[in-house]
Amino acid sequence: MKTRKTVLSIFCVLLSVSAFVRAAATDSGAVFGSSHTDTDDIDIVIDVSKDRKNISKYIYGINDVYGLSDLSAYAVKQSGAALSSYNWETNAANTAAEGGFENSLTLVSSYAPDSRSEAALYTKRLVERAEKYGIQSRYVTLQMMGYAANDSDGTVSSLDSPKRWAEVLFNKNDGLLTQPDLYDDTVYMDEYVSYLANTYGSAAEGGINGYFLDSEPEKWQENYSILNLEQLTAAELVERSASLAETVKRIDPTALVYGPSVSGLESYVNLGNSEDLEQYKNNYSWFIDYYLDMMRQESEQAGVRLLDVLDLHFISEARSVVLEPIIGSDSSFANEERMQAVRVLWDSNYTENSVTAILYKQHTPIIPTIQASIRMYYPDTKLSFSEYNFGGGDHISGGIAEADVLGVFSEQEVYMACLLPDSSDFSYQKSGINIYTNYDGNGSSYGNVAVYADNGGDVMSSVYASVYDGNDGDLKSVMINKNTSAEKVAYVTINSDYEYHSAAVYGFDSESSEIRLIERIEDIEDNSFTYVMNPLSVYLFEFDSSSILNEDTGIEEPVSSEASTTDTSAQPEHVEVTTETARTELTLETAPEIQTEITSSVSIVGTDDYGDTITEIITEIITESTEETTAANDAADEDDDVPIAVKVIGIILVIAVVGAIVYLLVSDGGDIRRKNG
């Protein structure tokens, strides 16, 4: 294992240096080492009749950590490793490894000491803060690890009395009390959900909208090493998830259940337990497939859907060309890579510079691969990223990444997403959200139906567009310029039955995170106009359609004056209560397009023929390298000032990268064969 990690580290170093050298060799106009260079002007096409998809307003969510002011969000959830040990009866929780394993009342420290004994006070805090900041949907994390803090007396060691931990059980099998028994050394989840439903009403009545089946269970062993837990297996996680989900549905059938809330691409593949993967890899391409299929089967046995939303955490692991993580870094290299890192979610042409994204490239882009798994193994399951972050909270690059990822979520039909900022100042990320939810400061928001928007594949810009259901004339578009130093001229064409004559332009840029009205465009003719975007800028275009073209008469007719806005007061939708789970029958024979999607996402770890796998990867790398070399040669025809030494170094590095991959896969294959032999 140590050798494997060493090779992976060397591989990433080589890849980064190779990218660094290639950038220097192929772009004399860029800063040395830049891997993403400024691009030319673009043609933007928006078509309101194509690729229409409903946008869930719950993608504009936030984790309840700090700084909810000056933010217009639609969902808020509890967050943190301590939640796995939260005792709702007493409000005690263990701070886990990151907090020194202290049993304390830290989660409710904002309340006066004499009021901290109120049951479920931490959830009361969530509800109160949501009401204060006008956030509609509230989501609670349930405890599934099996242990909760049983006191608030400070640091716990592995030698301490077991009495410092209370046992967590899902079902009490007795009468549920309105006030819990504090002296039975046991915490019951059914009593917790019942208490919340009685206190705030059911989900359909405006109470807690959904429940998470714990948080990052693959890290229990690491976060709570003092408990000496065994590494969690996929089968154990499914068993606990199904049991707790059934408990929730029994008490509040209208609440949504979210799981498994694992974090990072490697956990999506093997739950952070590569040895356990051997138990199911022959039937599934990755852990997500297994989890979906098993939860579907458990639901059919229970007669009720037990998993409403497949929930995942995604904190970017991307690194810049000089190997620094983009999370926590504000260097020019990290800022530049941050604006591209969102592409790992949707773009098959992008390879993130990280160990996991390179090792598990078969499972990227992430969202389309996950959606294919959902369609195959548990149709109609929603998708959520309840903790995500690309960093740069107080930098324009972070605001650009945030606005970009929300556009991706809107087009990829993600149901819920909650930003988890990594710094107390995330003003630019707030603007990345507010540009969709409150761009004018008066509650005006992006539409609820995504429509076709294309920028010709330019990677240094992004464009998204929307309308409101029932009013295609109310068109909004978000346009982003990721160029660090160059303006970008956008030639915009809108295909619509409506005639747009003007637009208000709101935005923010590197000068300030404040969203402001920049100007009004008054010269839109034939639904076309030109706009110059400043470097590092985000824009919201609010188009005015004063008339619609009658296709029969060719005459423009006035648009109905009936307003169409996002309903910000209605209660969030919930699942329909049924006694049995309907399943769409899909087989590889009846759904060949799904077979293709699933087959294309088969993981290396599930492939027995290592020779073929190595050949495919090497071929891909050589092909990409050849294309890059060709592009470099084309550029050299115009300007052949690139030193020969740089070219030679680039070639050597490419060969070294290929060699590292071959060594890694062959050694892994040998390890597996020795283990099985």
Side-chain angles (χ1 to χ4, degrees), residues 309-340:
V309 187
L310 177 71
D311 179 60
L312 304 168
H313 296 176
F314 188 81
I315 308 301
S316 178
E317 299 179 25
R319 293 174 177 266
S320 72
V321 294
V322 293
L323 263 190
E324 56 188 344
I326 66 171
I327 299 294
S329 176
D330 60 357
S331 75
S332 59
F333 293 120
N335 294 336
E336 185 181 15
E337 190 61 40
R338 178 178 295 112
M339 294 185 290
Q340 297 296 323

Side-chain angles (χ1 to χ4, degrees), residues 60-61 68-74 133 135 430 433-434 437-438 443:
Y60 311 118
L68 299 187
S69 61
D70 304 320
L71 176 66
S72 295
Y74 289 113
Y133 296 108
I135 303 176
K430 286 183 180 180
I433 296 175
N434 288 339
T437 59
N438 187 20

Side-chain angles (χ1 to χ4, degrees), residues 284 288-298 376-378 583:
Y284 303 96
I288 286 178
D289 287 352
Y290 174 85
Y291 184 81
L292 287 167
D293 198 24
M294 292 301 103
M295 289 299 287
R296 175 190 59 78
Q297 294 181 34
E298 293 286 348
M376 184 67 188
Y377 291 103
Y378 203 173
R583 180 191 176 210

Side-chain angles (χ1 to χ4, degrees), residues 371-421:
Q371 295 286 24
S373 292
I374 289 174
R375 290 192 294 272
M376 184 67 188
Y377 291 103
Y378 203 173
D380 300 324
T381 303
K382 303 179 190 330
L383 174 61
S384 164
F385 292 94
S386 68
E387 294 185 11
Y388 74 89
N389 188 28
F390 289 87
D394 60 350
H395 190 269
I396 180 60
S397 64
I400 285 176
E402 183 61 27
D404 204 13
V405 75
L406 290 177
V408 171
F409 288 158
S410 70
E411 289 190 341
Q412 297 288 329
E413 298 181 285
V414 173
Y415 177 71
M416 191 180 83
C418 294
L419 172 68
L420 179 63

